Amino acid sequence: MYIAESNYGVIYGPVNLVELIEKNTIIHALKHHQGHLQQTAKALGVGRTTLWRKIRKYDIDETAIVESS
C-alpha cells in the first residue's frame, strides 16, 4: 500500500500520481476562481461538464473550497 500526502489530506491506498496532480490542480483553480465552474473550466482548458465530472470523480467539495478562500 502506498501513502501520499498533499496539501488537501493524506491518501491511503495505491496512488496514481497523475490523478493526485489533477485533483490538486482543480482544487487550486476552483479556489482561484472562487468556485465559479465556467471560469475554472476555461482556465483549465476543459468543458464545464468535464470539470463537473472530475469534481465528482475526486469527491471535491466546491462549497468548502469557496468558504475556505
Side-chain angles (χ1 to χ4, degrees), residues 35-64:
H36 192 280
L37 291 181
Q38 188 65 38
Q39 291 176 1
T40 302
K42 184 176 181 180
L44 294 172
V46 299
R48 189 180 50 80
T49 305
T50 300
L51 176 60
W52 183 84
R53 269 190 258 120
K54 289 181 182 290
I55 288 170
R56 296 295 163 255
K57 174 183 178 180
Y58 297 125
D59 197 27
I60 296 171
D61 183 0
E62 314 97 290
T63 49

Side-chain angles (χ1 to χ4, degrees), residues 2 6-7 11-12 23 31 37 49 53 61 67-68:
Y2 298 99
S6 74
N7 295 336
I11 299 171
Y12 298 94
K23 179 179 179 178
K31 282 184 178 184
L37 291 181
T49 305
R53 269 190 258 120
D61 183 0
E67 290 171 0
S68 71

Side-chain angles (χ1 to χ4, degrees), residues 18-28 58-60:
V18 173
E19 289 184 350
L20 181 62
I21 292 168
E22 184 175 53
K23 179 179 179 178
N24 288 340
T25 300
I26 291 169
I27 291 170
H28 177 74
Y58 297 125
D59 197 27
I60 296 171

